[in-house]
Amino acid sequence: MAASPHTLSSRLLTGWVGGCVWYLQRRAMQESPHTFVHLFRNVNKQWITFQHLSFLRRMYVTQLNRSLNQQVKRKPEPVASPFLEKTSLGQAKAEICEMRPLPPPSLPLSRKPNEKELLELESASIIEGSLDAGKEMKDEKHWKEMKLQLDDLPGILARLSKIKLTALVVSTTSAGFALAPGPFDWPCFLLTSLGTGLASCAANSINQFFEVPFDSNMNRTKNRPLVRGQISPLLAVTFATCCAVPGVALLTWGVNPLTGALGVFNIFLYTCCYTPLKRISIANTWVGAVVGAVPPVMGWTAATGSLDAGAFLLGGILYSWQFPHFNALSWGLREDYSRGGYCMMSVTHPALCRRVALRHCLALIGLATAAPVLQVTTWTFPVISLPINLYISYLGFRFYTDADRKSSRKLFFCSLWHLPLLLLLMLTCKRPPAAGGAGGEPRT
Amino acid sequence: MAALRPSSRAFLPPLCRAFAGPGCQLAPERGAERRDAASGRVSGFCPPRKSCHDWIGPPDKHSNLRPVYFYVPENESPLEQKLRQLRQETQEWNQQFWANQNLTFRKEKEEFIRSRLKARGLELRAGSGQKATLDAEEMADFYKEFLRKNFLKHMYYNRDWYKRNFAITFFMGKVALERVWNKLRPKPKTST
């Protein structure tokens, strides 16, 4: 039967998307600013102990060699283990640095990747003949040569393009593609995913390019590559162009022009509307929600070639989801937003912020109910998604009434698993093609 | 692709030395003076003599921005000089804005906390010596007010920052192209 390979592909995709998104959720959760250091410390005790000992040994050697005016051989920057993301690594180190006053041997421990600079600058301080050797050494060891290391480049570009966010965007696009009616076309699917991924990388890079001084001043973003001077703005823009052009080309000519147009539109919306608007008006949140809603629509149009009701429904679900997610997150960042000059609802209109979050949690229930009406899923979907939708609405309600950090964090963390689960349920309840329209005859 | 090279010529160290000319090592005193002039507010730091690149420091404690120590090559072209000066000037401008912004924020926050605590009949430091603070919901009034007060200042800053950022990147592109062109064109007669 023609439906079988399609169903099989759908189920495989369900499994893949589910696994992929689950993994990414774990990572996203690990990056929460507050439970973050705690989790990190527990997981990395072994690794840190080893590095600590290596560093102490090297410090000893350096001290000895100083008097002999030798330059200690530069140690290449260690590659982060696959388990660790460099961003989180940097953040953890910054957090550890800030959280406890460390005795000198431990302080460099938390800045392990800068060891080679420490060694280079040791010789610099000898040349200078500084008066206050102790303080100057401590300052100097934080200086880094702005020389691009080719082996670091993949990691740097991954952080520049916010690779994890890109992966989430691509998974929502995949969900849109899989939920669209019609036979599942693997080549088209892969081209869509790749094109969307490239477009997202480009948009994220340009966003970081625009926001360097603001990112420097916010704890969440201060370890980004451009902030740390790991690459130049020119390289960032070049990289963005090298992602955007092939990405959009792939979508336009490899998939269909409508998807390509949506890709270009989304890049423009994110970089030229949302990013500057963040500092002008609270309307940025609504624009940002549209940015998040477009990828699944792109997935749908890639599969069907047209913008029908199902595409808008999926877009609507993503759009509504953005509000509890972002508004809850922004509740804990009010100080940074205020100081950095960001116009966010949580700062300027706190009541509106909570109201909108609740409103959209409830809207998710409505949208889930609309799914079978629009023939996207069976009627099982609104039933089985009701528990999670009710739960997030409950948390939204608590956030609305309590308006405190605790309720905002609970809502935020709930949103992290709510969306992938909702999409997964949608995929499993996808209306099979043979069912046809209401009262329609089965297709021959 | 050479055009991809960042302005600090980071990709190929041997080429960097060849490109920067012998000046890297032959004229340390002249280099040191120009380095001092270029460093501006970057006090106390001097890179190793052999380095041909810019250096970036730890975040400034007031502005949270990382200062850059700009390397001045011996045969710096006018375009490169213009770029370096633009970057230096932008760095100082940014430093001033954000240091001022953060200090003002901290000061006004302290005043706000003090006034609120006073209104409640409490001191800033309780009897035990612990610093009394307000919770996030009380601070929200301050954050809202601070954002509103500084809105126009931020508008002007944003506009200027975008202009400078584009200009710097544009000049970086021009410098990169100039270098590619210099490498590709037939070598002119070497001047003594």
Side-chain angles (χ1 to χ4, degrees), chain A residues 271-294:
Chain A
T271 57
C272 302
C273 298
Y274 171 70
T275 302
L277 213 53
K278 275 181 5 181
R279 312 182 54 79
I280 299 175
S281 148
I282 59 171
N284 71 77
T285 311
W286 282 267
V287 173
V290 174
V291 172
V294 168

Side-chain angles (χ1 to χ4, degrees), chain A residues 128 136 143-148 209-210 213 217 227 232 235 238 279-280 334-335 338-339 342 348 403, chain B residues 4 6 8 10-11 42 46 51 53-54 56 64 101-102 109 137 143-144 154-155 158 161 165 169:
Chain A
E128 277 285 53
E136 192 140 315
W143 283 80
K144 291 187 219 176
E145 195 172 15
M146 287 176 84
K147 189 165 127 184
L148 186 67
F209 164 74
F210 282 154
N217 275 280
V227 173
S232 72
L235 194 56
T238 311
R279 312 182 54 79
I280 299 175
R334 283 178 288 180
E335 175 165 356
S338 170
R339 191 167 47 87
Y342 283 107
T348 59
Chain B
L4 286 175
S8 45
F11 273 37
V42 179
C46 193
S51 167
H53 299 100
D54 301 335
I56 189 164
N64 296 315
Q101 176 79 355
N102 292 338
K109 186 178 169 186
E137 302 323 308
Y143 299 143
K144 179 173 174 178
H154 276 291
M155 284 301 100
N158 294 343
W161 160 247
N165 198 22
T169 312

Side-chain angles (χ1 to χ4, degrees), chain B residues 154-179:
Chain B
H154 276 291
M155 284 301 100
Y156 292 136
Y157 172 78
N158 294 343
R159 185 197 57 193
D160 290 344
W161 160 247
Y162 272 64
K163 284 205 301 219
R164 284 170 186 269
N165 198 22
F166 278 125
I168 289 173
T169 312
F170 175 71
F171 278 114
M172 279 183 170
K174 277 182 87 169
V175 164
L177 286 174
E178 184 189 63
R179 288 180 188 156

Side-chain angles (χ1 to χ4, degrees), chain A residues 188-260:
Chain A
C188 185
F189 168 73
L190 290 170
L191 285 174
T192 309
S193 302
L194 184 60
T196 309
L198 287 171
S200 173
C201 287
N204 289 330
S205 305
I206 298 289
N207 170 265
Q208 290 199 21
F209 164 74
F210 282 154
E211 303 254 284
V212 176
F214 312 117
D215 284 346
S216 311
N217 275 280
M218 289 184 57
N219 280 322
R220 195 172 60 94
T221 52
K222 64 187 179 191
N223 288 312
R224 289 183 168 172
L226 282 168
V227 173
R228 291 170 71 183
Q230 289 173 318
I231 59 170
S232 72
L234 179 67
L235 194 56
V237 170
T238 311
F239 172 71
T241 314
C242 292
C243 286
V245 171
V248 171
L250 216 63
L251 291 173
T252 310
W253 286 291
V255 181
N256 59 52
L258 176 59
T259 312

